[in-house]
Structure formats: structure tokens, C-alpha cells
Amino acid sequence: MSLRDKLLNFLYTHRGFIKDPCRLPRHVEKKRQEVRHWAEEEILPVVEELDRRAKEEFPWEIVRKGAEIGLLTDLIPRTFGGGGRLLDFFRHGTLHGALIIEELSKVCPGVAVIFGAHMLGLLPILLSMDFKAGRRFLSRVTDAARSGKPELCAFAITEPAAGSDAEDTHGARRAKLLTYAKKKDGYYVLNGRKCFISNGSVASIITVFAATDKEKGIDSWTCFVVERGMKGFSVGRIEDKMGQRASPAAELIFEDVKVPSANRVGREGEGWKLNLLTLDTSRPPVGFIALGAAQHAVRKGLEYAEKEGLLRDRHVQHIFADMLMKIEAARTVVWRACSTFPPVSWLSATAKCFASDVAMDVCSRVVDFMGDEGVKVGNEVEKAFRDVKLTQIYEGTNQIQRLSFAEDYPGLNRKNKPFRVF
Amino acid sequence: MNLYQQIAGAVESFVKRELTELSADMEKGDVDAWERCRKWLHETVLHLAPLSEEHGGVGLGEQELCGVLLELGKASASFAVALLSHYAGIYVLQSLNVTVDRNMFYASAGLLSHHVIAAPFIHNAVVVEAGRVELVTGDQLRERSNQVALLGLQGCSVFVTTSDVHAKELGELNLHEQKHIYARVQNLLAAVAVGNAMDALRIAEGYANERYQGGDVIIRHGIVQEILGRMKAKVLLSEAGVLKAAAGGTEDKLMARALAAVLCEEVCVDAVQLLGGYGYMKDYVVERKLRDAKTIAALDRGSTALFKQVIEEKLL
Ligand SMILES: Cc1cc2nc3c(=O)[nH]c(=O)nc-3n(C[C@H](O)[C@H](O)[C@H](O)COP(=O)(O)OP(=O)(O)OC[C@H]3O[C@@H](n4cnc5c(N)ncnc54)[C@H](O)[C@@H]3O)c2cc1C
């Protein structure tokens, strides 16, 4: 065979081989497989029940198993007993953790969010680089995970009168942010309410953002760790949600909660910047939650098409090609955003917004394609549709993502640099 | 006031006075709430609305029926679809010249959905399959069929008929008749979708006028105005399509149904979005509207298949 033939042969036969945007380290790939296996073998069989009975029972068994695999601690640096390295953050961003979340989301976005919200709760402590807070709380999380009695974290910014306003600087300056921490000698007295907090009813460690000066508003926003069991802290209503029902969203009530100064994360007044950094870091993984669910819906749709003998129909192929093209495109941008650290606001917003819009479109179309079967409860596809809608809302609605993009994208905002040239 | 105006008034006042409040209980399958609706139908004789006057019915035309179902769909898509399923049964029986029992509640399969979608108080189901029409009693359905739940339209009884259900043969519809009834039913289904979306729009607009974010009520933000504007246009277009198709042919009806289902689902997706986190919670009705809208859009073979079918059938 001539060299030319060999080369052509190579080109013709290797066309299915796609490189991921970056090669994953072997241990990450291994963990991904492990999580996939666990999710399919152990979580999938109970997904329907989790969806039905969510408000009654929290799936601690799943959390315990997740803790064994390292899902609660992989983000935490080894200094504090975790499995991660600070350097990893700079090299890969949140990509490795987010890919694990994607695996969980393929089976149940609600379960994915239990772990996702935990990581979100940890992020302010990690990103603040407050060593004291890290030693106090991150070590506690790793110790608990190791002991078999895992403790979860949560992240609380949303208030009844400030949802989008807690996500967007323009709104926040005009917002009615009512959670307030009054400084005393050696402690703060925290009063107010947060709502819709994922893991709020089950978390032991909650990163809560509050103003320390009513006049200054977000300029005085500060992050505190509120611990379960603190006097004056209670859980209010637990929401009855349309989807992602395995993950509880709760109202948190603070009535004269005495929060020790040692529970402050970072400096006083640093809260708003820390909040934005946290959100920019956590938004891209939401894209993976959305796409995980969408991929699962497509898989179910394909199974249905095969069962009905429709897979050879070119119109059906067209429908699926269209959906998968969008997923592929969205996944590329989410991958890119997740592996960018420090995060870039416009890229994070793009990833979250685009992926969740694509996922919503895809899930809706799979339900439609399956017709009567698509809307039947228990078929996993209707659940994907319900679950995915939330990804367009939390971590900032998709309208707020566009505002965040506009604030940051070079050339879109007059304060900014010239228009980005590719 | 003509008969239709009287009926429209009665429907509107029932929707406002009772159905809106009953709908949450109906979704949970509350028998009393459904029973109240059944009584109301008997009082107004609306359960016989499509039956001609000579057969003891009200003889409402298609446009008027669209109006009734649209209005009911605003408050409870479940109730409206269950009633439509009953109407579909009546259409078939009439077409076969089978006497409709005025005290019975029918449901149908094969016109609205392949499943039997029924009010919990159903007596008989008219099952159409490849032109063949069979009658299955409600008791048999309850005993021998699998009962399933749907994403939306909850509170309706949904049966997936199994082969051991004993059915009574009623006759056969020719292809033309079957298509004609199918298209009528589909257009009426679209009317329910429009009503459902109209109410979602009303709620979203009300919320946008009250919710402060970004330093103002959110309706003052350009993007919210655009979204609401699009929602309004979609509802307007769907409604116009459905009403026009009611007087049109089979093809018009199927297209109106497919388009209304798609647009009304989009309206409900946006309504949830405009209510933010609150929209995602069961206490706020819009999440139910979205589930209902998606279910209506996907019933039978879904909107995509319908769009294709309209053209495909012309080629045959
Ligand atoms: C299940 C669930 C879990 C959640 N988990 C958490 C959590 O763990 N921690 C936490 O802190 N929060 C959490 N949230 C809150 C979530 O981030 C907020 O719901 C979200 O930011 C939207 O806020 P909102 O619900 O108050 O909607 P609103 O802010 O009231 O928005 C209503 C509508 O107005 C639009 N809008 C608002 N402001 C503007 C503007 N300036 N310009 C244009 N349009 C605008 C929005 O896009 C939306 O369509 C959760 C929410 C849900 C539903």
C-alpha cells in the first residue's frame, strides 16, 4: 500500500474519532465512569420515587454514597483534607466536578443539584481564600464525609424581595435586601429571610450573605457561615416544586441569630464581589445539569424511536440530528466556560443561558416526538422536561444572564474595552 | 340575548365563581370537586352541547364550542379536556346514528389521544381504531385497564386499554368521517390550549405589574415588555386560527391545532419564566399551566407530526 493510500485509509476510517476540547486526566475519567455506573445502577431505580416523595424524605443514603466517592470533598484542597488542589482550579476550573454533575444529571437533575448546591455553598469559602474559615468549615466537611455522617452545604443570597436583584449589580443597588447583620463585640446579630435555598433544609453549613450597614446596601454585603442548630435560625417552608424534586428548596429564617465573627467569610463588605465571583464560577456547571437531562431525554427518545421502528425514517433522523447538533454546540461552550478560571462573566452567562435554552427546547421536542408516550408519568422524558425548566431560572434567570453578558462583553458596554475581535 | 350568549355568560360566571377555585382540587383528583362540575354540566345541559336539538341536545356549532372550551380551559384544562373527550364520543355516536344516552358521560380514545382521557365520573368510552368503533364501559376500564398519570391534565382518569377489555362493537366509520371528526376534536383541543395560555398570560402580566426588581416593576424592563408582547401576539394568533379553522376544513383545523399547541406552550414557558422562582412552585398556578400546555401539545402524536401529516396526506 502506498503512503498516500495509507494516509487516505487513515482519513477515511478515523473520522469518528473526536477529541474532547482538552484531554481529561485518567483519574477524572475513571471517576466519571464510576459515577455513571453508580447513577445507573443505584440512583436510576429510585428516581421515580424521589420525584414523587421528595418532600417527605431526603435521600441521605445517596449523599452518603456520594461522600464515599468523594463528591462532597473533591473541590476542597488537600490542606483541608479534601481531594483537590488549588492549582487544579487555575488549570481546569470547575470542569472535573461539573462533568461528574453532568453524569448525575443524566439520571436525575434533582440528585445532581444536591451535590451541586453543596459545592455552591462551599465556593465562597474556597474563593475568599480565607484560610481561617477554610480550616474551620472545609475541614469539618471533609471530616464529616470521612466519618460516614456527611454534612451538606448551601448557598443563600435570594430573598423574598430580591431574586434577580441578588444576582445583578444594577438591580442590587436599587434592591430591598432585608437580611441584615448587626455587628457586636465578637459576633454579629443576623436577622432576615432567604428563600428558595437548595439544600437549605438539610445543610449544616450555609453561606449566607447579608448587609452589615443598612445604608450602604450591597457595599456592605458580607458572607457568613450559619450553622444548623444556631439559636434563632430555623427552616421555614419547603417548596413544592415542579421538578428537580429530589433536591429540597427551603426558606431560611434568621431571628436574632448570634453569628460569631469567626464565622465571617472574607472581609466585611467583600460580600458582593465574592457573590459575583461565586456565581460566575457556578453558572457554567448549571449548563452541564441542563445538558445532562437533555441527553437523557434524547436517549429515551431514541429508544422509543427504535421500538416503534422509526429510526430509519429520515425525517425522524432529521429531528434527532437537529437536537443533537444543538446539544453538541452547547456542550462545547459549557466545557470551555467550566475550564476557564478565573471565570469570565460573559462566558459563564453564555454557557448557562445557552445550554439551558437548548436543553429546554430539546426536552420539549422529545416529549412532542413521543406523543402520548412522552407525557406519561414514569417515562423519564416528562420528568426531564419539568426538571430542565428550572435551569432557565436559578443562578440568575436567563434574562439576567443576558444582562450579565452585556455588562462584561468587550465592546457591548461603554465602560468596557473595544469590541472583541475574533 | 341569543342562546349562545346565554351559554357564554353561564360559562364565564361558572369559571369565575367556582371552577378557578375548584381546579386545584380537581388536579389532585378530588371527587367532590369533579362532581360539582358534573352537576353544573347537567344544570346547563352543556354536556349535550354538540348534540343536535332534534336529538335533545343544544346544537352548538363548532365556533361556539370552541368558545366554551376556551373559557373552561382558562380555569381548568383538565376539566375542559375531559369534557372534550366526552364530546368526541358524542360526535362518533352521532355519526354512527347510535343513540346518545343523555345521562351518560362518555370519553373517547383514538381521536384526542390513544389513551382514554376521561372525567373520573365516566360511564362509557368510545374507542376508535382504524375506523372500527367499540364501546367499553367505565367499570371495565377501571377494573381491567392500566390507569396512568400524565405530565399535565392531572385529575383526569387516563386509561391505557388492555386487550382483555371486553368491548362492544358499534360499527365502522369510513376514513373520511374519521378524519373529519378527528380534525374537529383536534381543533377543539387547540381551543383549550388557547384558554390555558390566555390565563397564563393574564397571571404573568399581573405579576409583572407588581413585582419589583431592578429598581422598578419588572413590566418596565424592555425585555419583559418584549416577552409579554410576544406572548400576547401568540395567544391572539392562536385564537384567531382556532376560530377561523372551526369554520374551515380538515386541513385548516389540523394546522390550527398544531400551531396553537406550539405557540401556547411557548406562552406558558414564558409565563413561568416571568414569575421567576415563584413560577416554578406548585402554589403558583402557572407551573400547572405549563404542564397542561405541554401535555396538550404532545397528545396523540405531537405537533411536529401533525404539521408533517397535513402535507403528507395531500400527497397521497
Ligand atoms: C428551585 C430553586 C432553587 C434555588 N436555589 C437557590 C439557592 O440555592 N440559593 C439562592 O440564593 N437562590 C436560589 N434560588 C433562587 C433563584 O436564584 C431565583 O429564583 C432567581 O434568581 C430569580 O429570582 P426570582 O425568583 O425572585 O425572580 P424575579 O427576580 O422576581 O424575576 C421575575 C422575572 O423578571 C425578570 N427580571 C427581573 N429583574 C429583571 C431586570 N432587571 N431586567 C429584566 N428582567 C428582569 C426575570 O428574568 C424573571 O423573568 C433558587 C430558586 C429556585 C426556583
Side-chain angles (χ1 to χ4, degrees):
Chain A
M1 209 190 272
S2 70
L3 186 61
R4 180 180 167 274
D5 286 340
K6 277 185 187 162
L7 255 173
L8 270 180
N9 196 25
F10 175 82
L11 290 177
Y12 290 149
T13 51
H14 280 74
R15 293 205 321 196
F17 182 73
I18 298 172
K19 279 193 222 141
D20 277 330
C22 75
R23 199 183 290 272
L24 292 173
R26 209 173 296 153
H27 72 276
V28 177
E29 197 48 69
K30 204 171 140 225
K31 179 158 282 183
R32 212 167 143 200
Q33 299 298 342
E34 189 184 357
V35 171
R36 181 176 299 174
H37 183 75
W38 169 51
E40 283 180 1
E41 294 296 313
E42 293 180 36
I43 302 179
L44 190 60
V46 294
V47 157
E48 209 184 320
E49 197 182 335
L50 287 177
D51 188 48
R52 211 168 355 102
R53 304 191 341 125
K55 267 190 85 176
E56 297 155 36
E57 219 173 302
F58 182 74
W60 278 112
E61 207 36 62
I62 291 177
V63 175
R64 259 188 287 278
K65 178 76 192 183
E68 274 171 33
I69 303 179
L71 302 192
L72 299 182
T73 48
D74 273 354
L75 206 63
I76 299 174
R78 288 183 189 158
T79 332
F80 303 116
R85 281 180 306 189
L86 206 58
L87 198 63
D88 283 349
F89 239 123
F90 284 91
R91 283 179 38 203
H92 312 290
T94 53
L95 180 67
H96 297 167
L99 285 169
I100 301 293
I101 293 289
E102 184 189 30
E103 289 307 324
L104 290 174
S105 188
K106 283 179 193 166
V107 164
C108 179
V111 169
V113 165
I114 295 175
F115 293 99
H118 168 81
M119 293 179 198
L120 176 62
L122 286 175
L123 273 180
I125 307 176
L126 277 168
L127 295 171
S128 67
M129 286 188 272
D130 182 333
F131 193 80
K132 276 192 201 152
R135 210 172 41 202
R136 213 171 138 90
F137 299 110
L138 300 181
S139 305
R140 181 172 149 187
V141 171
T142 50
D143 290 346
R146 229 177 279 127
S147 74
K149 283 190 182 155
E151 292 193 307
L152 284 172
C153 297
F155 171 79
I157 54 169
T158 306
E159 301 186 8
S164 298
D165 283 355
E167 309 257 355
D168 162 53
T169 310
H170 174 86
R173 296 228 168 274
R174 294 152 182 82
K176 286 191 198 137
L177 290 157
L178 298 178
T179 307
Y180 172 58
K182 193 172 165 75
K183 193 170 183 173
K184 299 269 173 155
D185 212 15
Y187 62 94
Y188 291 81
V189 179
L190 184 69
N191 276 290
R193 240 160 233 261
K194 297 283 175 182
C195 60
F196 302 147
I197 307 306
S198 302
N199 287 354
S201 54
V202 288
S204 309
I205 293 171
I206 304 164
T207 36
V208 178
F209 289 71
T212 50
D213 184 331
K214 282 185 182 162
E215 300 295 306
K216 285 192 185 162
I218 56 161
D219 290 329
S220 75
W221 244 30
T222 306
C223 177
F224 299 95
V225 170
V226 172
E227 297 166 66
R228 196 182 174 79
M230 279 183 164
K231 204 165 159 238
F233 165 53
S234 60
V235 174
R237 55 178 289 129
I238 299 175
E239 302 290 348
D240 196 2
K241 308 198 306 267
M242 179 185 181
Q244 300 198 5
R245 290 167 59 80
S247 138
E251 179 190 29
L252 307 181
I253 303 166
F254 311 104
E255 287 167 328
D256 292 331
V257 184
K258 244 172 126 173
V259 184
S261 297
N263 280 29
R264 197 185 64 216
V265 180
R267 292 199 196 96
E268 223 177 76
E270 238 173 43
W272 185 253
K273 279 191 186 146
L274 185 57
N275 176 35
L276 291 186
L277 179 62
T278 303
L279 291 171
D280 283 341
T281 310
S282 65
R283 280 171 179 168
V286 174
F288 271 130
I289 295 181
L291 294 178
Q295 288 168 65
H296 187 63
V298 170
R299 197 171 117 186
K300 287 280 143 191
L302 284 172
E303 277 172 24
Y304 172 80
E306 194 159 359
K307 197 178 100 210
E308 297 290 310
L310 296 169
L311 217 48
R312 294 266 147 261
D313 182 327
R314 302 216 71 179
H315 176 231
V316 171
Q317 290 178 354
H318 190 118
I319 293 172
F320 279 93
D322 197 41
M323 292 193 282
L324 287 165
M325 276 177 188
K326 287 181 179 161
I327 291 179
E328 290 283 352
R331 211 163 168 278
T332 307
V333 76
V334 173
W335 187 295
R336 185 170 165 223
C338 279
S339 40
T340 303
F341 192 85
V344 175
S345 288
W346 68 260
L347 186 56
S348 296
T350 307
K352 190 267 183 190
C353 181
F354 184 58
S356 56
D357 282 352
V358 162
M360 188 65 199
D361 178 44
V362 165
C363 290
S364 170
R365 286 171 68 184
V366 176
V367 172
D368 205 63
F369 171 73
M370 288 171 63
D372 281 338
E373 287 305 303
V375 288
K376 235 190 282 165
V377 169
N379 66 6
E380 296 169 46
V381 170
E382 66 84 28
K383 179 175 172 296
F385 175 80
R386 283 186 284 121
D387 289 342
V388 151
K389 178 68 201 126
L390 183 54
T391 60
Q392 294 182 311
I393 297 171
Y394 60 17
E395 302 254 345
T397 64
N398 281 4
Q399 288 70 41
I400 293 301
Q401 302 303 321
R402 288 174 174 97
L403 290 179
S404 171
F405 181 103
E407 277 281 309
D408 189 50
Y409 195 79
L412 237 181
N413 187 322
R414 262 182 291 142
K415 282 182 291 180
N416 257 325
K417 301 169 203 103
F419 185 64
R420 181 176 136 86
V421 183
F422 292 92
Chain B
M1 229 197 298
N2 68 22
L3 177 69
Y4 178 64
Q5 281 167 336
Q6 278 176 27
I7 289 174
V11 173
E12 219 181 302
S13 100
F14 177 65
V15 164
K16 283 208 182 110
R17 260 188 310 109
E18 294 186 61
L19 190 58
T20 306
E21 215 176 303
L22 289 173
S23 64
D25 289 337
M26 288 169 80
E27 203 205 13
K28 290 182 199 131
D30 182 305
V31 182
D32 292 341
W34 279 92
E35 187 55 22
R36 172 67 201 117
C37 291
R38 191 184 67 82
K39 279 201 182 127
W40 174 76
L41 286 173
H42 271 285
E43 282 157 23
T44 52
V45 208
L46 263 179
H47 65 302
L48 301 176
L51 202 62
S52 56
E53 280 170 271
E54 66 199 82
H55 289 101
V58 184
L60 285 192
E62 266 176 70
Q63 259 185 0
E64 289 139 350
L65 278 179
C66 280
V68 169
L69 289 170
L70 186 151
E71 203 56 39
L72 293 174
K74 285 183 187 171
S76 169
S78 297
F79 178 51
V81 169
L83 182 61
L84 168 56
S85 182
H86 163 79
Y87 288 165
I90 291 184
Y91 278 148
V92 176
L93 296 180
Q94 264 194 312
S95 195
L96 292 175
N97 283 324
V98 176
T99 317
V100 174
D101 187 327
R102 296 172 47 113
N103 295 314
M104 292 262 180
F105 263 98
Y106 296 92
S108 59
L111 297 167
L112 189 64
S113 154
H114 286 100
H115 310 324
V116 179
I117 299 185
F121 42 75
I122 174 203
H123 297 112
N124 284 312
V126 177
V127 181
V128 182
E129 207 179 316
R132 272 189 36 213
V133 182
E134 295 176 338
L135 195 78
V136 183
T137 65
D139 288 341
Q140 278 193 60
L141 282 174
R142 277 182 273 267
E143 276 166 25
R144 305 221 192 118
S145 305
N146 299 323
Q147 197 157 358
V148 296
L150 301 185
L151 164 66
L153 304 182
Q154 290 190 351
C156 287
S157 300
V158 183
F159 304 101
V160 179
T161 43
T162 51
S163 50
D164 64 338
V165 170
H166 181 74
K168 183 178 154 199
E169 288 241 15
L170 288 183
E172 272 192 39
L173 289 174
N174 67 40
L175 194 62
H176 177 74
E177 278 170 330
Q178 191 183 335
K179 265 190 191 167
H180 184 58
I181 297 178
Y182 178 77
R184 274 158 85 182
V185 171
Q186 293 295 322
N187 195 44
L188 290 173
L189 181 64
V192 181
V194 175
N196 184 52
M198 270 182 181
D199 204 50
L201 169 63
R202 179 190 63 79
I203 296 170
E205 198 172 358
Y207 187 81
N209 270 298
E210 282 172 8
R211 176 72 169 165
Y212 267 85
Q213 288 299 281
D216 215 333
V217 277
I218 59 171
I219 201 163
R220 292 204 180 270
H221 298 308
I223 184 63
V224 174
Q225 293 169 354
E226 184 195 325
I227 293 173
L228 277 170
R230 282 180 190 271
M231 288 164 77
K232 280 196 171 185
K234 286 173 186 172
V235 167
L236 184 75
L237 194 65
S238 312
E239 186 188 10
V242 167
L243 294 179
K244 182 154 190 271
T250 307
E251 194 180 305
D252 294 356
K253 288 184 172 64
L254 293 184
M255 284 193 290
R257 138 73 164 100
L259 189 69
V262 171
L263 295 183
C264 291
E265 181 191 330
E266 287 174 9
V267 169
C268 294
V269 170
D270 285 341
V272 170
Q273 189 68 18
L274 285 181
L275 266 76
Y278 296 95
Y280 198 69
M281 304 307 166
K282 294 209 170 226
D283 297 342
Y284 288 74
V285 193
V286 284
E287 75 83 35
R288 186 180 84 206
K289 306 257 167 216
L290 173 56
R291 284 187 291 110
D292 288 342
K294 180 71 249 180
T295 306
I296 290 172
L299 275 189
D300 196 16
R301 274 161 301 167
S303 310
T304 312
L306 263 186
F307 279 126
K308 176 172 170 271
Q309 183 185 328
V310 171
I311 304 302
E312 195 180 25
E313 281 184 356
K314 276 183 99 168
L315 297 177
L316 292 176

